[in-house]
Amino acid sequence: MKLQPLGDRVVVTPTEDAESRTPSGLVIPDTAKEKPQVGEVIAVGPGARDDDGERIAMDVSVGDKVLYSKFAGTEVKLDSGEHLVLSERDILAIVN
Amino acid sequence: MKLQPLGDRVVVTPTEDAESRTPSGLVIPDTAKEKPQVGEVIAVGPGARDDDGERIAMDVSVGDKVLYSKFAGTEVKLDSGEHLVLSERDILAIVN
Amino acid sequence: MKLQPLGDRVVVTPTEDAESRTPSGLVIPDTAKEKPQVGEVIAVGPGARDDDGERIAMDVSVGDKVLYSKFAGTEVKLDSGEHLVLSERDILAIVN
Amino acid sequence: MKLQPLGDRVVVTPTEDAESRTPSGLVIPDTAKEKPQVGEVIAVGPGARDDDGERIAMDVSVGDKVLYSKFAGTEVKLDSGEHLVLSERDILAIVN
Amino acid sequence: MKLQPLGDRVVVTPTEDAESRTPSGLVIPDTAKEKPQVGEVIAVGPGARDDDGERIAMDVSVGDKVLYSKFAGTEVKLDSGEHLVLSERDILAIVN
Amino acid sequence: MKLQPLGDRVVVTPTEDAESRTPSGLVIPDTAKEKPQVGEVIAVGPGARDDDGERIAMDVSVGDKVLYSKFAGTEVKLDSGEHLVLSERDILAIVN
Amino acid sequence: MKLQPLGDRVVVTPTEDAESRTPSGLVIPDTAKEKPQVGEVIAVGPGARDDDGERIAMDVSVGDKVLYSKFAGTEVKLDSGEHLVLSERDILAIVN
């Protein structure tokens, strides 16, 4: 069972260790500020359309590790675990 | 009796088992987050219009299984059961 | 006495039996969700204008039975009874 | 003393009997919904401008009887009585 | 000392008798509705810019008597008295 | 140490006597209305971009005395004193 | 581990001494107004897209010292310390 996102949406698998300091070094602060989280992109939509109805190319690809707002998107549980469907606008950065 | 949706609206028949874990594997979490639901598309509008009044092609077709926000759209009961009229923007992904 | 709606507005005569199950089979649920209602279109505006000032063609015609949000539009009582002036955007679907 | 409205504004003289059933048959309901009112157009602006700065033609003319939202516009008292300056967007329909 | 307004702004000198019935006949009602006021235009900006960066011609000129919303704009006191800087959009009509 | 503002922002040095009547004659009222203030422009951004990404020319220059809303912008203290970074849209008029 | 920001976002390392008067002379006031902060840009996105889907050039570069609103953006802690991912629109000025 797979999700094919529409428009500029992507499906992300949250990375387990996103909220504690890890050997790879990423730590998410626990303050009153907007909270980011790290995940891996597993599906990418075809892109939103511009004013002329043309698709706008997506900036993320399947396999990218991305930083996104923890409060964005919609949670979905599949057999493969918990995923998130979110708009590319809610992705802050690609983590290298 | 049939509904012919206007603009970018679609008519969806919610899938009964959308909220519990099933053999097909989709489970919708019951948290404070925006809740998605699965349904089957039974009617598709002609598409919204862009700035020049041209129709924008729809990305879903009759028969597609789709994931959408549980709080989106308008409920309608027909003899064939309960349906939902919602905008294509509220559809998150096609479920394969 | 007649109403000629402006822009993308239409005048609708609400159908009496829109809120109870009828032989024709349409039933409107009475929940906390946005409530739809069925009516017949009795007048149609010339259409809104796009960015270049051109009229956008209307998708409903006089005589269409339409499904619309119960909370949309403005009620007007004429000698011929109670009517509703609403924007085409508030019409969800044509009922066949 | 006269008012020359700017943009898409019009000056309307409210019709006295707009809120009770009259021989001409128009009755305005007194519910919690948006309340319309009937008036006669006595002055019309040159029209708003589109994205290219071109005037958009007005759809109402001096002398038209119009239906408009009771809560729209700005009241002005002249020697000739009470008038309303409102945007054409707030006019729902022309009353024939 | 003079003010040269920017964009579509104008400088207006409120007319003293705008709020009571006068021989010239203008009376501003004192209700809960948006309150208009009369003033004389003493300076006019070069106009706002459209989507292509072109100036949009102003519809009011120095010397015009104008009707504007009492709650719009910013009060400025100069030696010549109290003035108002407001956007042309907040001007309802030219008073002849 | 200098600030080079981005987009349509300008850096302004508030004029000390902006809030009391002075020989030059400008007095800022102390009412519940939006409060303006006078300052001198000490740095100007390159201009915002229009829909095609082209810069829109700025209407103020370094050295201009300007009238702006007291509640707009962001205060910054440099060694040279207190300054304000604000968008050109928040500048009401050039004071001559 | 590095962050590659998307769209018009940039990654900034806040400068420690941004909130107290320093030899370099920048002091951030502690009032009820929007609070700015100084930081160094360590990564820059490819730019947002205009209406035609074309990239808009970024106005800041890696290494720039920038002034930004303290309440903007999303905090991220990496091994190299605390950073901020923010949109270029939230950057007020480049500090020279």
Side-chain angles (χ1 to χ4, degrees):
Chain A
M1 181 169 229
K2 282 178 58 181
L3 295 179
Q4 172 54 42
L6 293 188
D8 74 337
R9 290 189 183 89
V10 301
V11 184
V12 166
T13 306
T15 300
E16 300 289 342
D17 57 0
E19 268 163 282
S20 58
R21 178 171 289 266
T22 71
S24 64
L26 196 90
V27 179
I28 306 304
D30 191 43
T31 70
K33 278 213 154 194
E34 187 190 1
K35 293 180 188 172
Q37 192 154 359
V38 174
E40 183 178 338
V41 175
I42 63 167
V44 176
R49 295 174 191 272
D50 67 12
D51 281 2
D52 302 317
E54 302 285 324
R55 296 280 188 197
I56 300 171
M58 297 288 284
D59 292 330
V60 296
S61 308
V62 170
D64 282 349
K65 284 185 70 176
V66 293
L67 187 76
Y68 58 90
S69 167
K70 197 184 268 178
F71 299 126
T74 305
E75 290 175 352
V76 191
K77 274 192 191 140
L78 303 178
D79 275 353
S80 51
E82 191 165 304
H83 302 287
L84 207 69
V85 182
L86 61 151
S87 165
E88 195 187 59
R89 277 166 311 192
D90 294 321
I91 298 182
L92 302 169
I94 295 175
V95 181
N96 292 316
Chain B
M1 182 170 229
K2 282 178 58 180
L3 295 179
Q4 171 54 42
L6 293 188
D8 75 337
R9 290 190 182 90
V10 300
V11 184
V12 166
T13 306
T15 300
E16 299 290 341
D17 57 0
E19 268 163 282
S20 57
R21 178 172 289 266
T22 70
S24 64
L26 195 91
V27 179
I28 306 305
D30 191 44
T31 71
K33 279 214 154 192
E34 186 190 2
K35 293 179 188 171
Q37 192 155 358
V38 174
E40 183 178 339
V41 176
I42 62 167
V44 176
R49 295 174 191 272
D50 68 12
D51 281 3
D52 302 317
E54 302 285 323
R55 296 280 188 197
I56 300 172
M58 298 289 284
D59 292 330
V60 296
S61 309
V62 170
D64 282 350
K65 283 184 70 176
V66 292
L67 187 75
Y68 58 90
S69 166
K70 197 184 267 179
F71 299 126
T74 305
E75 289 175 352
V76 191
K77 274 192 192 139
L78 302 178
D79 274 352
S80 51
E82 191 166 304
H83 302 287
L84 208 69
V85 182
L86 61 151
S87 164
E88 194 186 59
R89 276 166 312 191
D90 294 321
I91 298 182
L92 303 170
I94 295 175
V95 181
N96 292 315
Chain C
M1 182 169 229
K2 282 179 58 181
L3 296 179
Q4 170 55 41
L6 293 188
D8 74 338
R9 290 189 183 89
V10 301
V11 184
V12 166
T13 306
T15 300
E16 299 290 341
D17 57 0
E19 267 164 284
S20 57
R21 178 172 289 268
T22 70
S24 65
L26 195 91
V27 179
I28 305 304
D30 191 42
T31 72
K33 278 213 153 194
E34 186 190 2
K35 294 180 188 171
Q37 193 155 359
V38 174
E40 182 177 339
V41 176
I42 63 167
V44 176
R49 294 174 191 272
D50 68 13
D51 281 3
D52 302 316
E54 302 285 323
R55 296 280 188 197
I56 299 171
M58 297 288 284
D59 292 330
V60 295
S61 309
V62 171
D64 282 349
K65 284 184 70 175
V66 292
L67 187 76
Y68 58 90
S69 166
K70 198 185 266 180
F71 299 126
T74 305
E75 289 176 353
V76 191
K77 274 192 192 139
L78 301 179
D79 274 353
S80 51
E82 191 166 303
H83 302 287
L84 208 69
V85 182
L86 61 150
S87 165
E88 194 187 58
R89 276 166 313 190
D90 294 322
I91 298 181
L92 302 170
I94 295 176
V95 181
N96 292 315
Chain D
M1 181 168 227
K2 282 178 58 181
L3 296 179
Q4 171 55 40
L6 293 187
D8 74 337
R9 290 189 184 89
V10 301
V11 184
V12 166
T13 306
T15 300
E16 300 290 341
D17 57 0
E19 267 163 283
S20 57
R21 179 173 286 269
T22 70
S24 65
L26 197 90
V27 179
I28 306 304
D30 191 42
T31 71
K33 278 213 154 192
E34 187 190 1
K35 293 178 188 174
Q37 191 155 0
V38 174
E40 183 177 339
V41 176
I42 63 167
V44 176
R49 294 174 191 273
D50 67 14
D51 281 2
D52 302 317
E54 302 285 323
R55 296 281 188 196
I56 300 171
M58 298 288 284
D59 292 330
V60 295
S61 309
V62 170
D64 282 350
K65 284 184 71 175
V66 292
L67 187 76
Y68 57 91
S69 165
K70 198 185 266 178
F71 299 126
T74 305
E75 289 175 353
V76 191
K77 274 193 192 139
L78 302 178
D79 274 354
S80 51
E82 192 165 304
H83 303 287
L84 208 70
V85 182
L86 61 151
S87 165
E88 195 187 58
R89 275 166 312 191
D90 295 321
I91 298 182
L92 302 170
I94 296 176
V95 181
N96 292 316
Chain E
M1 181 167 228
K2 282 178 58 180
L3 296 178
Q4 172 55 41
L6 293 188
D8 74 338
R9 289 189 183 89
V10 301
V11 184
V12 166
T13 306
T15 300
E16 299 290 341
D17 57 0
E19 268 164 282
S20 56
R21 179 171 286 269
T22 70
S24 65
L26 197 90
V27 179
I28 307 304
D30 192 43
T31 71
K33 278 214 154 193
E34 187 190 1
K35 294 179 188 173
Q37 191 155 359
V38 174
E40 182 177 339
V41 176
I42 64 168
V44 177
R49 294 174 192 272
D50 68 12
D51 281 2
D52 302 317
E54 303 284 324
R55 297 281 188 195
I56 300 171
M58 298 288 284
D59 292 330
V60 296
S61 309
V62 171
D64 282 350
K65 284 185 71 175
V66 292
L67 187 77
Y68 57 91
S69 165
K70 198 184 268 179
F71 299 125
T74 305
E75 289 176 353
V76 191
K77 275 192 192 140
L78 302 178
D79 274 353
S80 50
E82 191 165 304
H83 302 287
L84 208 70
V85 182
L86 61 152
S87 165
E88 195 187 59
R89 276 166 311 191
D90 294 321
I91 298 182
L92 302 170
I94 296 176
V95 181
N96 292 316
Chain F
M1 181 167 229
K2 282 177 58 180
L3 296 178
Q4 171 55 41
L6 293 188
D8 74 338
R9 290 190 183 88
V10 302
V11 184
V12 166
T13 307
T15 300
E16 300 289 342
D17 56 1
E19 267 164 283
S20 57
R21 179 171 288 268
T22 71
S24 65
L26 197 90
V27 179
I28 306 304
D30 192 42
T31 71
K33 279 214 153 193
E34 187 190 1
K35 294 179 188 173
Q37 192 155 359
V38 174
E40 182 178 339
V41 176
I42 64 168
V44 176
R49 294 175 192 272
D50 67 12
D51 281 2
D52 302 317
E54 303 285 324
R55 296 281 189 196
I56 300 171
M58 298 288 284
D59 292 330
V60 296
S61 309
V62 170
D64 282 350
K65 284 185 70 177
V66 292
L67 187 77
Y68 58 90
S69 166
K70 197 185 269 178
F71 299 125
T74 305
E75 288 176 353
V76 191
K77 274 192 192 140
L78 302 178
D79 274 353
S80 51
E82 192 166 304
H83 303 288
L84 208 70
V85 182
L86 61 153
S87 165
E88 196 187 58
R89 276 165 312 190
D90 294 322
I91 299 182
L92 303 170
I94 296 175
V95 181
N96 292 316
Chain G
M1 182 168 229
K2 283 178 57 179
L3 296 179
Q4 171 55 41
L6 292 188
D8 74 338
R9 290 190 183 89
V10 301
V11 184
V12 166
T13 307
T15 300
E16 300 288 343
D17 57 0
E19 268 163 284
S20 58
R21 178 171 289 269
T22 71
S24 65
L26 196 90
V27 179
I28 306 304
D30 192 44
T31 71
K33 279 214 153 193
E34 186 190 2
K35 293 179 188 172
Q37 191 155 0
V38 174
E40 183 178 339
V41 176
I42 63 167
V44 176
R49 294 175 192 271
D50 67 13
D51 281 3
D52 302 317
E54 302 285 323
R55 296 280 189 199
I56 300 171
M58 297 288 284
D59 292 331
V60 296
S61 308
V62 170
D64 282 349
K65 284 185 69 175
V66 292
L67 186 77
Y68 58 90
S69 166
K70 197 184 270 177
F71 299 126
T74 305
E75 289 175 352
V76 191
K77 274 192 192 141
L78 303 178
D79 275 353
S80 51
E82 191 165 303
H83 302 288
L84 208 70
V85 182
L86 61 152
S87 165
E88 195 187 58
R89 276 166 311 191
D90 294 321
I91 298 182
L92 302 170
I94 295 175
V95 181
N96 291 316

